[in-house]
């Protein structure tokens, strides 16, 4: 895609506003801003965009994605908490030759963390003396728990460690085979995730701490530069290559 793009924002909250600044700094134009109560004229403006970036709410993302599909606008989706619809959206994208890149976390550092998490989990498959649990901390306005990022981390572990069968919030984790996720909500924390392996002898912990939201916003704009011209359902690992 050419260096200057026409970008539409869907969701003009904390993330939408930060993405706007970064997109403009990278030479792009914002041609539409869709928030709740958007008018038909706003959606007409969106239909002329090269790409849309969607950071709204768990219960509004799916409808917004479908609307982008119907207008043939590629869409980068950062909203979390709509996992039960992932498969259906994937199929719609593939059948209709639409373009979507969805990620629970756009930060390059977190995607590196996902990679390290899988390698560590592979090694731990044969070390049953280690138990594993996940912790995440986010700001108090976050609507979903556990975070989408924590769920992606959990999926990386569950794919490798057969003694864990499913993830569960710590207060609901009942059996040894549950992968427990502790979710904390603390004012102003942009996002902290850790994976801790514990044995009688020692602990091994990997941790990612976001200092601000800008890593998510930069990653989303890079994804928006990458997606136009492609067809199908993509994730950040398609873009980063691991
Ligand atoms: N993937 C990532 O890297 C990443 C990073 C940060 C946040 N997030 C997720 O992105 C989402 C947004 O986060 P935020 O911090 O900007 O939240 P926010 O609450 O500050 O902003 C959400 C915005 O969406 C608007 N909105 C409500 N209904 C809408 C609709 N039907 N269409 C369009 N917009 C609508 C709200 O009015 C609000 O302005 C959350 O799900 C959050 O978990 C993802």
């Amino acid at each position: 895609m050419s260096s200057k793009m026409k970008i539409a924002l869907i969701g003009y909250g904390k993330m939408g506003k930060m993405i706007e600044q970064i997109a403009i700094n990278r030479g792009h134009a914002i041609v539409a801003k869709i928030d709740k109560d958007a008018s038909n004229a706003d959606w007409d403006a969106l239909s002329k965009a090269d790409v849309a970036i969607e950071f709204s709410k768990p219960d509004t993302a799916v409808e917004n994605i479908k609307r982008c599909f119907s207008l043939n606008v590629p869409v980068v989706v950062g909203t979390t908490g709509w996992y039960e619809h992932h498969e259906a959206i994937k199929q719609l994208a593939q059948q209709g030759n639409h373009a979507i890149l969805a990620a629970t976390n756009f930060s390059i550092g977190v995607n590196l963390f996902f990679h390290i998490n899988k390698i560590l989990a592979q090694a731990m498959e044969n070390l049953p003396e280690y138990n594993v649990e996940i912790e995440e901390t986010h700001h108090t306005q976050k609507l979903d728990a556990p975070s989408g990022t924590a769920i992606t981390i959990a999926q990386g572990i569950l794919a490798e460690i057969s003694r864990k069968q499913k993830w569960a919030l710590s207060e609901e984790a009942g059996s040894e085979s549950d992968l427990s996720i502790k979710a904390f909500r603390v004012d102003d924390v942009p996002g902290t995730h850790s994976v801790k392996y514990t044995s009688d002898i020692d602990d091994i912990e990997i941790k990612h701490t976001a200092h601000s939201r800008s890593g998510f916003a930069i990653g989303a704009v890079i994804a928006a530069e990458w997606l136009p011209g492609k067809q199908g359902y993509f994730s950040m690992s398609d873009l980063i290559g691991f």
Side-chain angles (χ1 to χ4, degrees):
M1 193 71 215
S2 67
S3 58
K4 185 174 163 75
M5 294 190 311
K6 289 181 273 180
I7 296 180
L9 299 176
I10 309 179
Y12 194 56
K14 292 184 283 298
M15 286 303 300
K17 288 180 182 132
M18 186 165 270
I19 288 167
E20 176 180 39
Q21 287 312 310
I22 287 166
I24 290 169
N25 289 345
R26 288 172 77 92
H28 305 305
I30 304 299
V31 296
K33 290 177 202 168
I34 307 272
D35 204 86
K36 62 175 188 297
D37 309 326
S39 66
N40 285 341
D42 294 324
W43 283 98
D44 277 351
L46 176 136
S47 70
K48 299 183 183 77
D50 298 310
V51 61
I53 304 181
E54 212 279 357
F55 279 74
S56 66
K57 303 213 162 232
D59 58 350
T60 56
V62 171
E63 200 187 316
N64 289 334
I65 293 166
K66 287 183 180 165
R67 207 147 173 188
C68 289
F69 284 178
S70 71
L71 296 169
N72 272 321
V73 175
V75 60
V76 169
V77 183
T79 306
T80 53
W82 53 279
Y83 308 103
E84 65 274 26
H85 303 285
H86 269 199
E87 260 323 296
I89 289 291
K90 202 176 212 169
Q91 278 180 19
L92 269 185
Q94 283 159 354
Q95 285 159 8
N97 293 331
H98 302 297
I100 174 169
L101 188 153
T104 55
N105 199 306
F106 280 97
S107 120
I108 303 295
V110 161
N111 282 274
L112 185 58
F113 183 92
F114 290 156
H115 185 59
I116 295 164
N117 173 54
K118 280 192 220 158
I119 294 170
L120 184 55
Q122 273 166 21
M124 288 293 180
E125 165 66 349
N126 297 320
L127 297 172
E129 61 272 35
Y130 284 93
N131 190 25
V132 55
E133 63 177 23
I134 298 170
E135 258 186 44
E136 59 106 334
T137 308
H138 279 87
H139 54 91
T140 44
Q141 300 100 55
K142 184 165 177 60
L143 295 178
D144 48 331
S147 68
T149 304
I151 293 174
T152 304
I153 292 167
Q155 287 165 343
I157 295 170
L158 291 169
E160 303 297 340
I161 298 189
S162 53
R163 59 188 180 277
K164 295 290 175 190
Q165 298 293 310
K166 63 172 172 55
W167 63 261
L169 278 169
S170 56
E171 51 273 30
E172 290 155 15
S175 112
E176 291 254 308
S177 63
D178 285 345
L179 171 54
S180 163
I181 306 179
K182 282 185 187 149
F184 298 103
R185 295 293 171 261
V186 177
D187 268 348
D188 296 336
V189 175
T192 302
H193 294 86
S194 67
V195 177
K196 191 170 180 179
Y197 289 87
T198 310
S199 78
D200 289 343
I201 293 169
D202 56 11
D203 297 343
I204 300 173
E205 190 171 2
I206 54 173
K207 183 173 183 181
H208 180 275
T209 308
H211 295 160
S212 73
R213 292 187 173 81
S214 64
F216 314 132
I218 293 166
V221 176
I222 290 172
E225 291 166 352
W226 179 88
L227 186 62
K230 300 190 172 61
Q231 285 179 347
Y233 187 102
F234 301 95
S235 69
M236 274 306 265
S237 62
D238 296 306
L239 187 160
I240 297 176
F242 55 71

